[in-house]
Amino acid sequence: MASPSSSSIDQVSWRASVLSRFLQQSTDNSFQSLQSSVCLQYSPPELSEKFEFDVREMRRLLDDHNFEDRDWLMGLMMQSNLFSPRNSGGKVFVSPDYNQSMEQQREGWLTDRTLEGEMRKLTLMDVVTVFDHSLSVKIGVHFFLWGGAIQFFGTKRHHDKWLKDTEDYKVKGCFAMTELGHGSNVRGIETITTYDSNTGEFVINTPCESAQKYWIGGAANHATHTIVFSQLYINGSNQGVHAFIAQIRDLDGNMCPNIRIADCGHKIGLNGVDNGRIWFDNVRIPRENLLNSVADVSPDGQYLSEIKDPDHRFAAFLAPLTSGRVNIAGGSICSSKISLAIAIRYSLTRRAFSVSASRPEVLLLDYPSHQRRLLPLLAKTYAMVFAVNYLTKVYVTRTPKTNKSLHIVSSAFKAMFTWHNMRTLQECREACGGQGLKTETVLVILKVNLMCKPPLRENNVLMQQVSKALLAEYISAQKRKKPFEGLGLEHMNGPSPVILAQLTSSVLRSTKFQMDIFCLRERDLLKRFADDVSQHQAQGESKAHAVLLSFQLAVDLARVYSERMVLQTFFESETCHSEGPLKNVLGLLKTMYVMICLEEDASFLRYGYLSIENAAAVRKEVMKLCSELRPHALSLVSSFGIPDAFLSPIAFNWVEANSWSSVHH
C-alpha cells in the first residue's frame, strides 16, 4: 500500500498528464480555441428606452413642493469643491469620501416659522440627505432637535436668546435624551436635576454609569450646548422628565467645568456624526435654563404647571421627536430612490447570458426574475413618496388638535419606511453584483448608515405605540357608541366590505377592491387585537401586560394601518390627474403596491380574507404588472429628479469608469 505522500504525488502527476494531453489536442475539431470577439460597449439606456409620459410632470407630482429650492441646492453642491467632486467614466460625481478616517469625515433656519419656511427647511434637508446622511444627521440634530426643543419647550425668553444664535451657528446644539441604560424608555432615564433656591440654580448630576448620556449626535466634537433630559426633583419629590439647556463647551471648543465627554467610537457607518457620551458632575445652570412651556419652577422653588396629569406632561415633552420621525421617514424614501435609480439604470445597460449562441446577451432588467426583485420595490417607493408628502403637510400645519394623529401617523410611517429602505438597499446592492460592493456605488454605505440610525432599534416599540392608540380609539368608540372620528379610522363607521369569491384581473386592479380589502383587513385585525387583550385581562392580567402579550397582533395591526394610510394617500394623489399616460402609469404602480402587499402578508390567508385560489391570482398579477412596468422603468427613476452627479458611476458608463485610463487618472 502506498504511503499518503506517494499517493498524493501520484495524483498530482496523473492530473498533470491529463491536462497536458488535453492542451496538446490543438488539431482536434472537438476542441475550440478561444477566439476574440467584440468587446462589451456601454450604451446609454436613453437610446433604447421610451419615455411614454412627461417625466417633468411626474417629478413635480413626486417632489410636491419647493422644486426651485431643491434644484438650487443640488446645483450649488455640484459646483462647489466642498462637496468632493470627482470624475469617473467621463462624468462628475459628488459624494463624501468614505475612505477617509472617522476624524476626517467629521470636519467639515429657525426664525422663519411660516408655512413656506417650514416646507423649505424640509426640502433642503431632503437634498442634504441625498448627498450625505452624516451631514443631514448633524444638521437635523442642530436645527430640528436642539432648535426644535427650544421652539417647542421654550418660551419667548428662550426664543429670543437662543434661536437666532442657533440659526447663525454661533452656538452648536445637541440633544441629550438617551442614556446607556435607557434608550426608548425615556421615562426611565436616571439623570437627576435638583433646584437650589439659595442660588436660583438647577444642579444636573449623572448619579451612576448607566445614567451617562449615550449616542448623543454632535456631542463628541462640536456641540457647545445641549438639551438635557432629566428627572426633576423639587423638595425631594420627583416631578418627572424635564428639559434643560446646559453648556458643555466654550466657544473655543474647550470642555466646561464638571462636564466629561467621550466619543462613542468608530461605527460601521455614519462616522461623520460625532456621537458622544456625556457625564454631568453636579453642573449648575441658571433657573431660566429650564424650558418652561410645559412646567416651571419659581425662584423660591415652587413647582408650577397647568398640566396636572404627569402622563400628559411627559407626552408633551416628547413633541420634538415628531420632527425627527418626519425627517427620518423622508430620508428613508430619499435613500430608496437613490438605490433604485442606481440599480435600475445599471440593469438597463448590464447584460448577462444569451438565450442562444447567435443572439446578444440579455439585459438584466429583461429577466423576469430581475423585474420581480426591483419593480415591486419601485412601486412601493412611489406609494411611500405620496405618503411622505402627506405627512409633511400634516406636520407643517399641525395644531394641538392634530398632534395626536400626527404622532401616530409619523410613528407608523417612520417604522414602515425605514424597514422598506433596508430591504430596498439590500436588494439593490445584490442586484448590482460585485459592483454593488464598492463604496463609490454608495449602496453599501447607505445601508450601513441606516443601520447606525435609531430607526431600526425602536421600530417595534413605535408600532406597539401605534396599536395601543388605535386600541384606545376603538374602546372609546365602543363605549360612547359614536362613530369613529380621527386617526383615519372613519372607514370603520360603515358596513364591513364584502370581497368577491373570484378575483379576476380587472377586479384586482379596481380601486374599490383595493380599498375594500385593505379596510377589511384593518378593521378585522383591530377587533382581533381588542379581543385578545380583553381575553388576557379576563385571565387576571393588567391592561399594560395584556397588550404586551398580544404584541404579534399589535405589530401586525400597526403595519396594516400604515399600509392602508399609504394607499389612501396614493389614491388621493392619483385622482388629482386627468386621464392620460401619466395617470395610467400611476394606476399600474398603485396596483403593484396593493398586489405586493397582498402577496407578502400572510394574514390575508391566515384569516381568510383571500382564498388560496385568489392568492394565486394575486401572485400571477404581480408578474403581469412587472412586464407592464418594465418599459417605464427608466422614466420612473428619472422622475425622481436626482441629478446624475448624486448617483454612482455604475448607473452610467460603468465600462469607462473601470477602464485602465481611469486608474491612471
Side-chain angles (χ1 to χ4, degrees):
M1 182 175 178
S3 67
S5 59
S6 62
S7 176
S8 298
I9 293 172
D10 290 343
Q11 288 182 7
V12 170
S13 299
W14 175 73
R15 289 169 182 159
S17 65
V18 170
L19 287 172
S20 177
R21 289 196 303 273
F22 179 76
L23 293 173
Q24 289 172 0
Q25 293 174 352
S26 56
T27 58
D28 191 336
N29 291 334
S30 64
F31 175 74
Q32 297 180 357
S33 62
L34 292 176
Q35 297 180 2
S36 62
S37 60
V38 178
C39 289
L40 287 172
Q41 299 291 323
Y42 170 80
S43 177
E46 287 82 358
L47 297 179
S48 56
E49 301 294 315
K50 296 180 180 179
F51 284 41
E52 297 184 9
F53 60 87
D54 189 333
V55 170
R56 290 170 298 180
E57 184 182 356
M58 181 70 88
R59 188 210 161 179
R60 294 188 71 85
L61 177 63
L62 295 176
D63 284 350
D64 192 55
H65 58 87
N66 296 83
F67 317 104
E68 296 79 7
D69 291 326
R70 292 177 197 271
D71 291 342
W72 167 77
L73 185 53
M74 285 180 174
L76 182 68
M77 288 177 168
M78 288 187 284
Q79 296 172 34
S80 172
N81 288 331
L82 289 173
F83 295 92
S84 308
R86 70 186 192 286
N87 190 292
S88 182
K91 296 180 75 70
V92 175
F93 296 91
V94 291
S95 69
D97 184 356
Y98 294 111
N99 295 314
Q100 290 182 328
S101 68
M102 177 182 73
E103 290 75 19
Q104 288 173 317
Q105 289 186 48
R106 290 179 180 178
E107 296 304 322
W109 52 74
L110 282 168
T111 51
D112 184 359
R113 301 187 65 183
T114 64
L115 176 62
E116 293 76 13
E118 291 281 316
M119 296 292 274
R120 187 169 187 268
K121 281 184 282 188
L122 292 169
T123 296
L124 298 182
M125 277 295 292
D126 275 353
V127 176
V128 173
T129 301
V130 170
F131 172 72
D132 178 32
H133 278 250
S134 286
L135 182 58
S136 70
V137 170
K138 292 276 286 187
I139 292 174
V141 167
H142 177 72
F143 284 112
F144 290 95
L145 291 182
W146 155 268
I150 292 173
Q151 280 184 329
F152 280 112
F153 298 157
T155 52
K156 187 176 185 302
R157 73 188 189 209
H158 303 106
H159 300 163
D160 292 345
K161 182 174 181 179
W162 298 102
L163 289 186
K164 191 66 174 69
D165 283 352
T166 297
E167 196 169 71
D168 295 339
Y169 262 93
K170 291 181 180 178
V171 299
K172 303 176 185 69
C174 61
F175 191 79
M177 175 180 278
T178 54
E179 297 178 353
L180 177 62
H182 291 85
S184 300
N185 182 16
V186 178
R187 194 190 289 266
I189 61 175
E190 297 173 288
T191 301
I192 292 174
T193 297
T194 56
Y195 180 67
D196 185 346
S197 58
N198 295 322
T199 62
E201 295 173 313
F202 289 106
V203 182
I204 305 174
N205 189 49
T206 303
C208 53
E209 289 297 346
S210 60
Q212 62 181 273
K213 294 299 181 181
Y214 209 89
W215 286 122
I216 310 306
N221 288 99
H222 299 129
T224 59
H225 293 73
T226 187
I227 302 294
V228 186
F229 284 81
S230 170
Q231 305 288 353
L232 173 60
Y233 281 82
I234 299 294
N235 298 322
S237 176
N238 186 2
Q239 301 297 335
V241 175
H242 290 65
F244 304 84
I245 295 173
Q247 186 167 359
I248 58 176
R249 288 186 180 89
D250 62 26
L251 298 184
D252 294 323
N254 301 307
M255 221 172 292
C256 291
N258 300 334
I259 295 286
R260 290 177 287 150
I261 300 175
D263 200 307
C264 285
H266 192 274
K267 307 180 290 289
I268 60 172
L270 284 183
N271 280 299
V273 180
D274 51 321
N275 293 98
R277 304 147 63 191
I278 310 175
W279 290 259
F280 299 89
D281 299 326
N282 293 316
V283 174
R284 289 182 171 267
I285 61 172
R287 183 181 67 88
E288 292 75 19
N289 281 21
L290 167 66
L291 295 175
N292 64 339
S293 66
V294 174
D296 205 351
V297 174
S298 65
D300 63 350
Q302 298 299 310
Y303 183 77
L304 309 169
S305 179
E306 294 183 2
I307 305 176
K308 304 304 179 185
D309 188 326
D311 291 336
H312 291 169
R313 274 205 308 271
F314 175 72
F317 278 117
L318 299 183
L321 298 182
T322 300
S323 67
R325 287 191 290 269
V326 172
N327 276 312
I328 290 170
S332 295
I333 300 309
C334 283
S335 176
S336 296
K337 287 180 182 178
I338 295 168
S339 60
L340 285 163
I342 292 170
I344 286 176
R345 289 191 69 93
Y346 182 63
S347 70
L348 288 168
T349 61
R350 183 71 157 87
R351 296 176 180 272
F353 305 104
S354 57
V355 178
S356 64
S358 61
R359 300 185 66 180
E361 291 182 283
V362 179
L363 286 173
L364 294 183
L365 200 59
D366 285 336
Y367 283 101
S369 58
H370 214 75
Q371 295 171 15
R372 181 62 179 77
R373 71 192 305 186
L374 292 180
L375 297 185
L377 294 174
L378 179 62
K380 274 194 167 185
T381 299
Y382 259 77
M384 292 174 183
V385 167
F386 298 125
V388 164
N389 292 340
Y390 164 79
L391 177 61
T392 300
K393 290 174 183 175
V394 172
Y395 172 72
V396 299
T397 58
R398 62 193 178 279
T399 64
K401 186 177 181 180
T402 62
N403 276 342
K404 180 181 178 181
S405 178
L406 174 61
H407 169 72
I408 299 306
V409 175
S410 64
S411 297
F413 283 3
K414 182 241 189 184
M416 289 295 293
F417 296 177
T418 50
W419 278 330
H420 167 72
N421 187 21
M422 180 61 73
R423 179 182 174 188
T424 301
L425 289 168
Q426 180 65 19
E427 200 68 59
C428 288
R429 192 213 64 72
E430 292 179 8
C432 292
Q435 295 293 328
L437 296 172
K438 299 168 69 175
T439 55
E440 72 172 8
T441 305
V442 310
L443 298 174
V444 173
I445 298 297
L446 291 174
K447 183 178 179 184
V448 296
N449 284 348
L450 177 62
M451 291 167 65
C452 288
K453 285 184 176 181
L456 301 178
R457 300 196 298 269
E458 65 179 20
N459 279 350
N460 281 298
V461 175
L462 286 178
M463 294 301 256
Q464 290 182 69
Q465 288 182 12
V466 171
S467 293
K468 285 168 67 176
L470 297 176
L471 176 62
E473 195 71 20
Y474 179 84
I475 293 173
S476 176
Q478 297 289 319
K479 287 182 177 179
R480 291 180 292 131
K481 295 184 179 179
K482 290 185 178 180
F484 288 93
E485 184 178 358
L487 300 186
L489 295 176
E490 289 82 1
H491 68 89
M492 295 184 62
N493 293 325
S496 180
V498 176
I499 305 302
L500 295 176
Q502 185 174 2
L503 300 178
T504 63
S505 180
S506 60
V507 171
L508 290 172
R509 298 188 183 210
S510 69
T511 297
K512 183 179 186 306
F513 163 76
Q514 292 168 3
M515 291 301 300
D516 280 353
I517 192 75
F518 273 41
C519 290
L520 173 65
R521 175 181 57 159
E522 183 180 354
R523 69 192 295 156
D524 182 64
L525 279 175
L526 179 49
K527 184 177 185 304
R528 288 177 185 275
F529 180 48
D531 290 346
D532 203 48
V533 171
S534 180
Q535 288 176 15
H536 286 304
Q537 287 183 279
Q539 295 168 4
E541 302 289 352
S542 67
K543 182 178 179 181
H545 195 229
V547 170
L548 291 178
L549 293 173
S550 304
F551 77 95
Q552 291 187 96
L553 277 170
V555 174
D556 286 346
L557 172 61
R559 177 174 48 78
V560 304
Y561 170 78
S562 179
E563 288 180 350
R564 198 264 309 158
M565 288 289 291
V566 169
L567 177 60
Q568 184 70 43
T569 62
F570 201 150
F571 173 71
E572 291 170 358
S573 297
E574 180 193 22
T575 54
C576 294
H577 288 267
S578 55
E579 296 296 329
L582 188 145
K583 187 166 186 175
N584 293 340
V585 173
L586 288 175
L588 292 176
L589 291 165
K590 178 170 64 68
T591 298
M592 175 65 92
Y593 168 73
V594 173
M595 293 302 107
I596 206 66
C597 288
L598 296 183
E599 187 182 52
E600 292 177 347
D601 184 6
S603 68
F604 286 103
L605 281 172
R606 182 185 299 128
Y607 301 121
Y609 314 139
L610 289 177
S611 65
I612 295 176
E613 292 75 18
N614 284 336
V618 167
R619 188 175 179 83
K620 185 177 179 181
E621 199 68 23
V622 169
M623 289 311 303
K624 287 174 61 179
L625 287 163
C626 282
S627 64
E628 292 175 46
L629 283 170
R630 161 62 184 89
H632 305 292
L634 180 60
S635 50
L636 286 170
V637 295
S638 298
S639 298
F640 290 154
I642 304 171
D644 295 355
F646 288 82
L647 297 177
S648 162
I650 71 163
F652 303 99
N653 193 340
W654 44 271
V655 176
E656 178 63 25
N658 286 281
S659 66
W660 178 250
S661 61
S662 70
V663 176
H664 285 281
H665 179 76

